[in-house]
Amino acid sequence: MSGMLTIPDAKEVIVGELAQNGDWIVASVDTRIAWPVTAQKFKYRDAEIWVLPLMKETYPSIAINRTGGRSREDCERLLMRFLSAVAWVESSGASVEYITGGNLPRPMGRKGEFRNVITLDLDLSYLPEPSDEKALLAMALLREGRGLNHPGYAFLSSYRVLDVALPDPKNQMVWIDANLDKLTHAAKNALTKLQACGQTEIGKHLYASGRCAMAHAAREPIVDPDDPTDLRRLAEELPIIMELAELAIETILGVETSQTVWEKHLYELEGFRKLLGPVIVDHLVRAEQIPDGTNLACNLPVVSVTIRRYEPYEPFKRMEVINLKQEGRLMQVTLASEAGSRFVFQLDFGAERLRFDIFNGVYGPEDDGTTQYAETRAEMARFFRDYVGNGQLHLADAESGELLSRVGAFIPTNWFLNAERADADIEQWKTEAAKRAGAGPRRPS
């Protein structure tokens, strides 16, 4: 992975699965989310949904190929729910501009300058799928609120999250006042300014002068679209209600934010927790010896080790778990491939961390003089370069693709990656592989 990001043409994107004729439904969106320049397929509610990249002269978009007896309306709703989940994870807004269909996934065209921030891809390793209809509605309302350019309607849409979470207006006002101390950044600054103006009943003010003033026009207070002071005031208070809406979705409706998920770090061991089961995990947390004969909760899968945004590494594809060894509160796991590569790490459930040492966790086979050995060393050198260069380690079930663990970007301490030296090491082993391929395999002495 190198070089500057470029926005592709449609002909570069609509290939492979995306070029297969079907009954495609596409939602073209206007969003503040940093949009990818590569196509990605995600599993969401047992459906395959594509995030189509920002392409030249088209909207950012998401798409689904209608299969399995789903109605068009069901597919459209699924796309909208998916977009709300993405917006929640990204803490941003998005609105659907067009929903179209056809035999291929074709987003709506648009002219003029793009104002989208671009990224290589979206990290949706955390993508909530709540079953509670209230939570789904609240996430949709907040997505809409964050995506609107009109401060008044953005305020109203965001406040409606509280209508979902706390239907009684009196409870809303009490809850607002009880949670003002949790506000941060822009919302905290806006609250300080509001209080400096003499406003002491914040919950009542936001309800009456914000929600009701925007929703009704029969009684005072009323937001007058021709009065710039009303819109200016709502714009200043908008960060408060947006953050309160997010807080309500998380604390009342139970959908965690990406920040909370990151702070807990449960994603590092979540997949292995399911495999080992609660009995084994409990013994590890308490650093107690696991009784002989204790069974795993599930059969151990074949595992693939990758680094996010990089091509897979041949030595680390389809590795079997060959050893589980308890070391106090740690469970050491050893993976091995048919070619003889090994990958070793520890599961620390007490700290919710996957412990991996690049210098003491990757082992290759012995040099038998073959081309395969040199190719393996080149791939292992590439893994070293990519991981030490702030790589995000991913371990997944090789069959299903389900993520077992993801670890945040590696940050070297008191040393740095010599990229030129790392590239040279890779090329050295590639050259050796080519030399051995020309000479034929050499038997070990």
Side-chain angles (χ1 to χ4, degrees):
M1 181 188 69
S2 61
M4 295 183 62
L5 299 180
T6 57
I7 298 175
D9 290 309
K11 63 182 179 181
E12 300 175 86
V13 175
I14 310 303
V15 296
E17 289 184 62
L18 290 172
Q20 295 177 6
N21 280 304
D23 188 1
W24 288 90
I25 300 171
V26 179
S28 298
V29 304
D30 182 16
T31 179
R32 295 178 174 87
I33 297 170
W35 206 259
V37 293
T38 53
Q40 293 176 268
K41 181 172 66 174
F42 296 98
K43 195 82 168 209
Y44 179 75
R45 298 190 178 277
D46 296 324
E48 292 182 347
I49 295 181
W50 285 87
V51 173
L52 301 181
L54 181 67
M55 293 178 275
K56 295 176 181 177
E57 299 187 342
T58 68
Y59 277 88
S61 57
I62 53 179
I64 185 172
N65 192 1
R66 189 167 75 89
T67 58
R70 287 190 176 92
S71 69
R72 180 181 177 85
E73 290 180 347
D74 286 341
C75 289
E76 291 176 354
R77 186 177 297 106
L78 196 60
L79 287 177
M80 302 284 275
R81 292 299 192 206
F82 175 79
L83 184 61
S84 293
V86 173
W88 173 256
V89 168
E90 294 290 327
S91 298
S92 190
S95 59
V96 175
E97 298 294 296
Y98 306 94
I99 295 183
T100 54
N103 66 315
L104 292 175
R106 299 184 180 92
M108 285 293 291
R110 66 173 178 175
K111 301 291 184 179
E113 294 183 4
F114 294 163
R115 295 189 298 272
N116 296 86
V117 177
I118 59 174
T119 182
L120 179 63
D121 57 15
L122 292 177
D123 182 2
L124 300 184
S125 46
Y126 168 60
L127 191 67
E129 298 183 26
S131 57
D132 181 10
E133 289 295 326
K134 286 186 175 182
L136 292 169
L137 174 57
M139 290 167 63
L141 290 169
L142 186 56
R143 168 183 63 78
E144 179 186 63
R146 285 170 164 169
L148 292 171
N149 291 322
H150 190 289
Y153 290 116
F155 188 103
L156 178 60
S157 187
S158 301
Y159 194 102
R160 290 174 66 199
V161 171
L162 300 188
D163 289 337
V164 175
L166 297 164
D168 188 327
K170 291 182 180 179
N171 291 339
Q172 295 170 10
M173 290 181 270
V174 171
W175 183 86
I176 289 173
D177 290 336
N179 286 277
L180 293 175
D181 61 335
K182 298 182 176 67
L183 297 180
T184 60
H185 308 303
K188 187 176 182 179
N189 293 336
L191 174 64
T192 300
K193 185 174 180 179
L194 188 58
Q195 292 171 329
C197 294
Q199 187 58 250
T200 57
E201 296 179 288
I202 303 299
K204 182 178 180 180
H205 169 76
L206 295 177
Y207 174 74
S209 298
R211 181 215 183 278
C212 293
M214 271 302 303
H216 308 298
R219 60 183 182 274
E220 294 289 344
I222 298 171
V223 171
D224 184 346
D226 288 342
D227 188 344
T229 59
D230 283 343
L231 295 183
R232 190 176 299 118
R233 174 182 60 80
L234 287 174
E236 291 174 349
E237 297 172 6
L238 183 57
I240 300 175
I241 196 60
M242 280 190 171
E243 190 164 335
L244 287 171
E246 180 181 88
L247 184 64
I249 291 174
E250 180 166 43
T251 61
I252 300 175
L253 300 177
V255 184
E256 293 181 327
T257 63
S258 298
Q259 179 67 21
T260 297
V261 170
W262 179 83
E263 289 172 352
K264 288 184 176 181
H265 280 94
L266 298 180
Y267 52 81
E268 287 197 16
L269 302 182
E270 183 176 5
F272 289 103
R273 184 187 303 277
K274 295 176 182 177
L275 293 174
L276 299 182
V279 174
I280 293 178
V281 171
D282 182 61
H283 278 79
L284 289 171
V285 170
R286 292 185 283 114
E288 294 181 357
Q289 188 62 37
I290 300 170
D292 292 340
T294 304
N295 294 322
L296 302 175
C298 305
N299 293 328
L300 293 172
V302 178
V303 178
S304 291
V305 180
T306 60
I307 295 177
R308 180 174 176 247
R309 290 181 169 174
Y310 290 94
E311 291 296 318
Y313 307 87
E314 197 63 37
F316 304 135
K317 293 179 180 178
R318 302 190 60 79
M319 305 187 84
E320 293 188 359
V321 180
I322 62 169
N323 189 41
L324 292 174
K325 180 183 178 182
Q326 182 180 2
E327 297 178 344
R329 61 184 283 179
L330 303 179
M331 177 66 80
Q332 179 166 293
V333 183
T334 302
L335 307 176
S337 68
E338 289 185 3
S341 303
R342 287 188 297 144
F343 193 90
V344 182
F345 55 94
Q346 292 79 36
L347 308 176
D348 184 349
F349 287 98
E352 293 294 344
R353 290 292 190 273
L354 184 143
R355 309 292 185 187
F356 169 67
D357 181 358
I358 185 67
F359 297 108
N360 196 31
V362 178
Y363 304 90
E366 293 185 4
D367 190 353
D368 58 0
T370 62
T371 301
Q372 183 180 16
Y373 173 81
E375 291 173 343
T376 296
R377 285 297 303 268
E379 282 288 85
M380 293 177 71
R382 185 168 69 89
F383 178 86
F384 176 88
R385 179 199 63 189
D386 298 344
Y387 177 73
V388 174
N390 305 130
Q392 298 180 33
L393 191 65
H394 283 195
L395 281 76
D397 184 324
E399 299 293 345
S400 67
E402 181 181 357
L403 205 58
L404 300 172
S405 173
R406 61 183 175 94
V407 182
F410 174 75
I411 302 176
T413 304
N414 297 326
W415 62 285
F416 66 94
L417 171 68
N418 186 327
E420 292 183 359
R421 178 68 178 271
D423 289 342
D425 195 28
I426 297 170
E427 290 305 315
Q428 175 188 338
W429 282 108
K430 285 184 176 180
T431 301
E432 177 65 18
K435 185 187 302 182
R436 293 187 180 188
R442 175 174 57 85
R443 290 185 179 181
S445 56

